[in-house]
Amino acid sequence: MDAGGAALGAGFGLLLETVKESIDKAVMFKPMLKNIEGTLECLQPLIQDIKGLNMELDLPEGETTDFESKMEQGAMLVAKCSKVGRLKFFKKRRYTDKLLELDQTLKGLIRILQVQGTRDTKKTLKLTRDIHTAFIKDNGGNNRVVYDPIISAVTCGVPQVLPPLILGLDEALQELKMTLLLNDDASLLVVTAPGGCGKTLLAQKFCLDPQVQEKFKKNIFFVPVSKRSPSLSAIVQQLYKQKRQDVPVLINEADATIHLEQLLNQIGGNPILLVLDDVWPASQSLVENFVLFRIPDYKILVTSRSPLPSLGPIACRYELNPLNDKDAMTLFRHWASMEDESSHIPDDVVKKVFCDSGLVCLFFLFK
């Protein structure tokens, strides 16, 4: 018996060893024995985890004892199969059925262990959350939601105020609407451009567009990410707050993912638009957390200085071009002023500024 089989228990080790020894001996049962070997290899890490945790937690072995009993019986069956002669067709059929039944039993054990593992994980998560909630109760017995240092800075509402003069974004706005409103296959769109070209303003303008508002209604969320990215937990808590739901206490990022899926499914009867604005390359994994779920009419708009290559082919991409000189100068005139507060600036002054600085997006200086 190999060390791995012994570590799991006599029953499992005996069955695994017997199957491996019988594959070449019982030629007419070889395909079925190969299948059983593959099933056992899938089962091995699950049983090993259970036995290891039982030892660490000083728990009884009852959960694996039943498994080992079935495997001991299976080992006896395999051993008998290896002794069946090629001409004993009646026995071949009978043992073939029993081997198929053994393989199905082992696969059933895998499913049971996987379900039990998911159940135990959720029980542990619930217990941890309950303990955490108990610790954050104040003396009056009322629960307080504890935020990390940057949660309070996270918002999910769409900025409602647009600049009085916007130029050069109409074509880009139509492209975004074509992709996210009319293309059912597009669920993630990444808008890229250098800093200061108007990505955030374009995303804001898109969210406030009447057609977009009509489709997504109150399910439009605008999350500024920036270089110092908020945690997934912080964003999820603010999404709950935005929807006027009880804000959950989140233990970790896995807990946040579970609650995010619950919220999206809850409001998923209506279209959802999520904007993740100014995502830096280091925060690509944050975006990936939001694209895990397949929900109808769930659209994500990302703005970034980078194309975010790790998002792969699931993302549509649109490159926003900088303003042309004419529009840039018009905006510069609008926001700049002379010492006498006059908005009239001579052409030679404007041209000198643009030629000397080489800047195209100076209108963002008004911020």
Side-chain angles (χ1 to χ4, degrees):
M1 184 186 303
D2 61 54
L8 292 175
F12 183 91
L14 179 62
L15 176 56
L16 184 58
E17 183 179 19
T18 305
V19 169
K20 288 184 176 180
E21 290 178 350
S22 301
I23 286 177
D24 293 327
K25 293 180 181 179
V27 178
M28 59 183 171
F29 298 115
K30 187 172 183 177
M32 285 164 286
L33 292 175
K34 291 290 289 184
N35 288 339
I36 292 173
E37 182 185 30
T39 303
L40 287 171
E41 289 174 350
C42 293
L43 190 56
Q44 181 172 342
L46 296 174
I47 296 182
Q48 196 164 21
D49 286 345
I50 290 174
K51 293 185 71 68
L53 290 171
N54 283 345
M55 291 178 62
E56 287 185 24
L57 299 173
D58 195 23
L59 295 175
E61 294 291 336
E63 192 170 28
T64 54
T65 300
D66 292 342
F67 301 157
E68 290 179 4
S69 175
K70 289 183 174 61
M71 290 173 191
E72 289 172 359
Q73 297 171 16
M76 294 174 60
L77 170 65
V78 173
K80 290 180 181 179
C81 290
S82 64
K83 299 176 182 178
V84 176
R86 295 188 179 185
L87 300 179
K88 296 182 179 180
F89 298 106
F90 176 75
K91 285 189 176 182
K92 177 183 177 182
R93 180 174 180 180
R94 180 158 59 92
Y95 280 111
T96 296
D97 291 341
K98 288 186 176 183
L99 287 175
L100 290 173
E101 184 180 351
L102 173 61
D103 190 39
Q104 290 302 314
T105 299
L106 294 173
K107 288 177 179 176
L109 289 178
I110 292 177
R111 289 191 292 271
I112 290 172
L113 291 177
Q114 289 173 335
V115 170
Q116 288 177 338
T118 302
R119 176 205 64 193
D120 293 344
T121 299
K122 290 186 176 181
K123 281 185 175 180
T124 302
L125 189 59
K126 182 180 184 301
L127 178 60
T128 307
R129 188 186 303 130
D130 290 344
I131 294 172
H132 185 72
T133 302
F135 271 110
I136 65 170
K137 284 187 177 181
D138 60 22
N139 293 331
N142 296 317
N143 287 335
R144 295 180 290 110
V145 176
V146 178
Y147 295 98
D148 68 29
I150 60 174
I151 288 181
S152 58
V154 179
T155 61
C156 294
V158 180
Q160 297 296 311
V161 180
L162 291 172
L165 180 62
I166 300 175
L167 296 176
L169 295 182
D170 290 342
E171 181 179 340
L173 178 62
Q174 292 304 315
E175 289 289 341
L176 265 60
K177 290 166 68 173
M178 287 285 292
T179 302
L180 293 177
L181 296 186
L182 302 179
N183 186 351
D184 293 335
D185 295 328
S187 59
L188 172 63
L189 175 61
V190 179
V191 176
T192 62
C197 285
K199 300 182 297 295
T200 297
L201 184 58
L202 174 61
Q204 182 183 353
K205 187 175 173 64
F206 176 76
C207 291
L208 297 177
D209 182 87
Q211 288 179 284
V212 176
Q213 292 267 320
E214 174 63 26
K215 177 169 183 175
F216 297 100
K217 297 181 173 62
K218 295 184 179 181
N219 285 343
I220 302 177
F221 308 99
F222 193 104
V223 181
V225 178
S226 301
K227 191 171 185 178
R228 188 184 176 219
S229 170
S231 67
L232 177 64
S233 296
I235 296 174
V236 171
Q237 286 179 321
Q238 285 298 332
L239 290 173
Y240 271 83
K241 186 176 180 181
Q242 184 77 12
K243 292 302 295 180
R244 301 186 182 279
Q245 303 272 348
D246 291 337
V247 180
V249 176
L250 302 176
I251 307 304
N252 51 34
E253 299 294 272
D255 193 16
T257 302
I258 292 173
H259 277 81
L260 174 61
E261 183 177 15
Q262 290 175 350
L263 180 64
L264 292 175
N265 283 324
Q266 182 180 340
I267 63 178
N270 299 304
I272 303 170
L273 172 63
L274 173 66
V275 177
L276 298 173
D277 182 48
D278 194 20
V279 175
W280 287 60
S283 300
Q284 291 182 80
S285 59
L286 179 68
V287 179
E288 292 168 3
N289 285 305
F290 290 93
V291 300
L292 296 172
F293 317 108
R294 294 292 177 262
I295 299 174
D297 272 334
Y298 170 43
K299 306 288 186 175
I300 302 174
L301 173 62
V302 176
T303 70
S304 178
R305 304 180 188 196
S306 161
L308 306 179
S310 74
L311 297 179
I314 63 171
C316 301
R317 287 176 173 83
Y318 176 77
E319 186 174 352
L320 179 63
N321 294 320
L323 288 178
N324 58 45
D325 288 351
K326 180 180 178 181
D327 287 342
M329 288 184 183
T330 300
L331 284 172
F332 178 75
R333 288 179 180 277
H334 179 79
W335 293 111
S337 63
M338 301 296 286
E339 290 183 0
D340 60 359
E341 298 185 356
S342 168
S343 61
H344 175 70
I345 304 175
D347 290 343
D348 59 331
V349 174
V350 175
K351 291 180 181 178
K352 180 174 177 57
V353 170
F354 274 78
C355 290
D356 289 349
S357 66
L359 297 176
V360 180
C361 302
L362 288 175
F363 70 94
F364 280 98
L365 289 173
F366 82 90
K367 293 184 178 179

